[in-house]
């Protein structure tokens, strides 16, 4: 059987990176966030494509991800790690020339003891209460800043996908206040959502992630993924017969049901069942019955001819529309995509 096929359009990722770059001034550097295996799409091919397009600064969540990325893209680019200088990661930082975004005083002390002179950044908390130093902790390490000589100071916005949310302006002010007395070190505040706010949020360096991969809130992004599931069987189903676990769907007309290879073990989460469709080109074929671990059943009654495969992600049903059907966000759909797909990368 042909495998389910996940096609990743690297050209679209590059186009989205360029489009986000064009939204800030020429003096603002546009980085790229490729944590979690480039949001599930493959850190090596995505990293190489973005580097070729001109990206010089990458962000990952974990030192181990940074090590993988370094091996894929070579020595030139900067690789920042959001989790900072965690115990046990010392060798990875040294061997793969990774730059920690130091989150607390303990990380600062240990980094200076091990690595003084190596590049680092500082991560400040301006209201999200997730990672980074608040005012008092920053004050406690202020005397070490000359020795640290950080190359970046960053913080993260909690509500940037809601432009009218008052926390955006509050965090901008908090970031300016916290950094006002610090030396002239490059600043970074904005992920995809922040880039779409206003130029004051752009600072010196931006950190887009989801927008690169075609997801909200970057409206107008080029779609990046197509996911096509092979049809294993089709069968006629009479009025009154049920389909799938729990017999939750019952035919109300003579129907044709196609069973495709793909299920919740592939990240096609069960909750999407009643609200999503598969597509024969641009014709929607509703999912009927429950999503199983490896199989999905689809109503193809209205198709003149059933093709060898049906799409669950394409330009019509994007990661965000599928996410909406499942009651989640595009980020979760992307990062859940399973490892049973055959992956094809298009330029
Ligand atoms: C994930 C992340 C980003 C990228 O966010 P998107 O919303 O995907 O653009 C940027 N900065 C930090 C600190 C993050 O955790």
């Amino acid at each position: 059987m042909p495998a389910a096929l996940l096609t990743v359009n690297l050209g679209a990722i590059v186009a989205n990176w360029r489009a986000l770059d064009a939204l800030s001034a020429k003096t603002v550097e546009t980085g790229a966030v490729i944590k979690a295996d480039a949001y599930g799409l493959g850190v090596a091919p995505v990293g190489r494509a973005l580097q070729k397009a001109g990206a010089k600064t990458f962000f990952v969540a974990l030192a181990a991800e940074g090590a993988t990325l370094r091996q894929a893209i070579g020595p030139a680019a900067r690789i920042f790690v959001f989790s900072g200088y965690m115990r046990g990661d010392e060798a990875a930082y040294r061997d793969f020339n990774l730059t920690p975004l130091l989150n607390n005083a303990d990380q600062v002390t240990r980094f200076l003891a091990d690595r003084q002179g190596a590049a680092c950044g500082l991560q400040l908390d301006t209201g999200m209460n997730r990672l980074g130093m608040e005012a008092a902790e920053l004050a406690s390490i202020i005397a070490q800043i000359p020795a640290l000589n950080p190359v970046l100071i960053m913080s993260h916005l909690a509500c940037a996908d809601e432009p009218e949310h008052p926390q955006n302006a509050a965090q901008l002010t908090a970031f300016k206040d916290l950094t006002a007395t610090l030396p002239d070190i490059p600043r970074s505040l904005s992920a995809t959502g922040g880039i779409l706010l206003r130029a004051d949020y752009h600072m010196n360096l931006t950190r887009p992630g989801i927008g690169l991969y075609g997801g909200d809130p970057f409206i107008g992004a080029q779609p990046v993924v197509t996911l096509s599931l092979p049809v294993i069987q089709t069968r006629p189903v009479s009025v009154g017969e049920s389909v799938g676990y729990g017999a939750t769907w019952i035919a109300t007309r003579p129907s044709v049901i196609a069973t495709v290879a793909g299920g919740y073990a592939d990240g096609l989460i069960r909750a999407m069942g009643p609200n999503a469709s598969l597509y024969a080109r641009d014709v929607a074929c509703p999912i009927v019955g429950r999503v199983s671990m490896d199989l999905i059943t689809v109503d193809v009654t209205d198709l003149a001819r059933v093709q060898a495969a049906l799409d669950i992600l394409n330009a019509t049903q994007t990661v965000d529309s599928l996410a909406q059907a499942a009651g989640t966000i595009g980020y979760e759909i992307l990062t859940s995509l399973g490892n049973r797909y055959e992956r094809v990368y298009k330029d």
Side-chain angles (χ1 to χ4, degrees), residues 227-276:
L227 177 55
S228 194
L229 307 179
V231 174
I232 302 174
Q233 266 198 353
T234 58
R235 76 179 63 246
V237 172
S238 313
V239 173
E241 283 193 284
S242 69
V243 172
Y245 284 123
T248 56
W249 186 85
I250 295 169
T252 56
R253 61 170 179 167
S255 303
V256 181
I257 302 301
T259 303
V260 300
Y264 59 77
D266 304 293
L268 302 172
I269 54 183
R270 208 166 160 274
M272 74 179 56
N275 306 314

Side-chain angles (χ1 to χ4, degrees), residues 33 35 39 82 123 130 154-156 190-193 207-211 217 331:
V33 179
K35 61 192 180 192
Y39 291 46
F82 289 134
Q123 193 163 180
R130 194 179 65 169
M154 64 155 282
S155 188
H156 193 48
S190 286
T192 304
R207 310 185 307 268
I210 192 72
Y331 297 73

Side-chain angles (χ1 to χ4, degrees), residues 229-233 258-263 278 294-298 308-310:
L229 307 179
V231 174
I232 302 174
Q233 266 198 353
T259 303
V260 300
L278 271 70
D294 320 293
L295 299 166
I296 295 175
T297 35
V298 185
L310 297 168

Side-chain angles (χ1 to χ4, degrees), residues 13-24:
I13 295 178
V14 165
N16 291 334
W17 182 76
R18 292 205 169 111
L20 288 163
D21 182 48
L23 293 176
S24 59

Side-chain angles (χ1 to χ4, degrees), residues 292-316:
S292 309
M293 188 183 294
D294 320 293
L295 299 166
I296 295 175
T297 35
V298 185
D299 184 351
V300 293
T301 313
D302 296 330
L303 293 182
R305 192 182 64 82
V306 181
Q307 295 158 245
L310 297 168
D311 295 339
I312 190 158
L313 288 170
N314 60 15
T316 309

